[in-house]
Each structure stands twice: as structure tokens, then as C-alpha cells.
Amino acid sequence: MGWIGETVDSIKSLQIRQVLTQAVSLGMIVTSALIIWKALMCITGSESPVVVVLSGSMEPGFKRGDILFLHMSKDPIRAGEIVVFNVDGREIPIVHRVIKVHEREDTGEVDVLTKGDNNYGDDRLLYAHGQLWLQRHHIMGRAVGFLPYVGWVTIIMTEKPIIKYILIGALGLLVITSKD
Amino acid sequence: MHSFGYRANALLTFAVTILALMCAMASLSDNFNSPTPSALVQVLNINWFQKQPNGNDEVSMTLNISADLQSLFTWNTKQVFVFLAAEYETPKNSLNQISLWDGIIPSKEHAKFWIHTSNKYRFIDQGSNLRGKEYNLTMHWHVMPKTGKMFADKIVMPGYRLPVEYR
């Protein structure tokens, strides 16, 4: 109880100047996070530079909850690369490996077929109805780096939103009540 | 100033920083490894070779693949993904890459292998250009680290040729 009492007291004793300082520092935290994210977007050329693996279709290479760093360069797509792609009519992007590539002589367009390392068959069943190949515009980026387990934070937060609200609330309270 | 919260925060920040540094160093240490892998592939038989009703050529073959990829493994290697692709040029396409076989090597002990197999994925052309076609067989490998940057390289084996007639 003592801790809550102290917290209430410290909220009561806030001065206008202090409130403003807190607001500014909170704003700085939020904007710097945004700056880092946008800078990563510019550097990697991918609209989402970091993705979390959500399914086990690439096991044992990538497990659920691992983080992948994406890069989208002008380099042509080649077999063996792990790409992240969007399929029309599906919201969640998929991370799979390229197994077939056909690149046009005249236009340089590519037809790409993908497959999950842990899946038995290729991805034609996952594509939109009647779609045989992925084109360049479906592909968001290719995986270049890998960090295990870190993605569990976001998986837990999306599946159990209550934890997210508790966390945000606790952090907010901490920012408001901290004195320096 | 020295409350429980501040100490926990400082400890957590320090721990995460050290962990991130160690991950970065583990990933960087992979650069010191200069691998010398070797591979040999023989096409033992063309099982069948025909034109599909939709006009695309398809071929089925039996392959003998032997490779030694032990030097790719370091202490930061989780697994090596290896695949064999047929690569060739056609008038319409400047590059066709078709994976014929792939496998996951979980550890160094399994990295020297010998396998006798027919093609795992269908070898289908976009069109009807495969008769008498010269192609390369390329052994690609992708090293998946325990953490950090992924590596990839390949060995190109040129000079394979498909039969002139369907069979």
C-alpha cells in the first residue's frame, strides 16, 4: 500500500514545469523510435525491415518467434534465397525459400516459385486461386540476418492484448512519476 | 536514486547490451572461416522426357550427388541448407533456375554425404526448349547461423546436356 500512496502523492505534487518536461521526454522516446524505424526502412529498402516468424514452415531453420532482418536491393531474385512475400487476398506475409526462377530475356521480369523448408509441397496451394508464380511486386524483401526468440515479445502481445495494456500502463506511470 | 526499480533497470539494460554484443561477435567470427567445400554430381539416367499437353517440356532424371561441406560448419552454425539446381538459358528467358533436390544438414557429422535420388521437384521448362539443351548443375548452400548474418555460396558444374529426342 505504501508504494501506491507514494505514487499518488508524487502525482499530486507535480508542477506544471515538471509535467511539460515529462511530456517532452515522452515525445522524444516515441519520435526517436519512429526515426529509427523509418531510417531502417530507408537503409534496407524494405517496407518492413524486421519481421517475426509466425509459423513453423521453415523449421528447423527458423522457429516461431524468431526475428528476421530483411533487405530489398535491386539485385535479381535467385533460387535458394529466403524471401518474404504477400499474396493477394492474404493479410499476413509469408517467409519461404525460392526453389524455381524464370527470368525474362527482354523485360527482366521474374517468375518465382517458393516452398517452406518444412513443408512437403511447394507454395502453389498458398497462392491466390489460379496463380502459378510470384512476381517481383509480391516480394517485400529477402532475409539477410537472424535473431532467435526475440519475436516472442510481439507474439505474446498480439495474442494476449491485456499484457500489452498492463505493460504500457506501467511504463506510462513510471514516466509520469519519475523525478529526473 | 538507488531504488529497486533503478537497479533492476540498470541490470536489465547491461544484460541486454552484453547479450547483443556477444551475438554480434559470434556473427562476425564467421568471417574468419574460409571454407573449401567440394561437390560432384552425375546424371545416371534420364527416366523419361516428354512434352506435357500444355506444351511445356518435362524431364525426370536419376542423380548421384556426393559432396563434402564439413568446412562450412563453425561454432555459430545451426544448419546448412543445400540444394542442387539446374540452370540454363532459353530464347525467352535469360535465366532458368530449377531446384532438383535439396536437403538440410543439421551438423558437421552429416556434412559429408553421398545420395542416389531421382529429382525431388519437377523439372519443367517454361515452353518447349529442353531437347538437346545444355545446362549447368549448380550446388548452392545457405549457411543458417545460430544468430546473425546468413551466408550463401555455390559450385557451378557446367557441361551437362539433355537428350535430343523425347523418350
Side-chain angles (χ1 to χ4, degrees), chain A residues 58-63 66 68-69 77-82 97-106 111 115 117-118 120 133 143-148 178-180, chain B residues 1 6 23 78-79 81 83 85 87-99 102 104 120-126 140 142 144-151:
Chain A
M58 286 297 279
E59 280 192 34
F62 302 145
K63 294 196 176 66
D66 292 346
L68 296 181
F69 297 93
I77 290 153
R78 290 290 174 257
E81 290 172 344
I82 297 161
R97 190 185 298 275
V98 174
I99 61 166
K100 292 185 186 182
V101 172
H102 296 282
E103 192 174 69
R104 294 280 171 287
E105 175 81 60
D106 41 4
D111 282 342
K115 175 185 171 287
D117 288 359
N118 198 29
Y120 181 73
W133 304 98
V144 289
F146 167 80
L147 204 61
S178 67
K179 292 245 165 56
D180 45 9
Chain B
M1 203 53 209
Y6 276 105
C23 287
K78 182 200 280 177
Q79 64 167 29
F81 183 89
F83 70 100
E87 300 180 350
Y88 59 95
E89 234 178 89
T90 56
K92 188 178 135 201
N93 294 337
S94 57
L95 176 74
N96 299 277
Q97 283 184 310
I98 295 178
S99 178
D102 62 17
I104 293 168
K120 185 173 165 185
Y121 305 111
R122 300 173 74 181
F123 188 165
I124 305 176
D125 185 36
Q126 281 192 332
H140 294 258
H142 283 243
M144 288 180 162
K146 291 207 168 85
T147 179
K149 191 176 178 306
M150 296 187 270
F151 290 88

Side-chain angles (χ1 to χ4, degrees), chain A residues 14 30 54 68 74 80 92 129 136 145 149 159 165 169 177:
Chain A
L14 284 178
V30 173
L54 294 175
L68 296 181
K74 288 273 184 288
I92 300 169
H129 187 70
R136 183 87 195 190
Y149 307 123
E159 286 179 1
Y165 298 131
T177 54

Side-chain angles (χ1 to χ4, degrees), chain A residues 4-130:
Chain A
I4 295 172
E6 271 175 39
T7 311
V8 171
D9 283 345
S10 68
I11 291 174
K12 276 183 191 159
S13 68
L14 284 178
Q15 309 290 316
I16 296 288
R17 181 188 285 262
Q18 223 171 6
V19 171
L20 282 175
T21 322
Q22 302 287 14
V24 168
S25 66
L26 193 67
M28 288 292 278
I29 292 169
V30 173
T31 43
S32 60
L34 198 71
I35 288 169
I36 291 170
W37 182 252
K38 290 284 172 190
L40 270 176
M41 272 174 80
C42 286
I43 293 164
T44 62
S46 174
E47 51 192 300
S48 73
V50 179
V51 293
V52 176
V53 179
L54 294 175
S55 80
S57 61
M58 286 297 279
E59 280 192 34
F62 302 145
K63 294 196 176 66
R64 191 170 144 81
D66 292 346
I67 274 192
L68 296 181
F69 297 93
L70 303 188
H71 188 78
M72 192 69 208
S73 57
K74 288 273 184 288
D75 298 343
I77 290 153
R78 290 290 174 257
E81 290 172 344
I82 297 161
V83 294
V84 180
F85 58 91
N86 269 312
V87 177
D88 307 329
R90 265 177 192 269
E91 270 181 35
I92 300 169
I94 303 173
V95 184
H96 278 176
R97 190 185 298 275
V98 174
I99 61 166
K100 292 185 186 182
V101 172
H102 296 282
E103 192 174 69
R104 294 280 171 287
E105 175 81 60
D106 41 4
T107 56
E109 283 174 36
V110 280
D111 282 342
V112 167
L113 181 64
T114 54
K115 175 185 171 287
D117 288 359
N118 198 29
N119 291 354
Y120 181 73
D122 62 43
D123 286 349
R124 291 220 165 110
L125 289 171
L126 298 175
Y127 297 168
H129 187 70

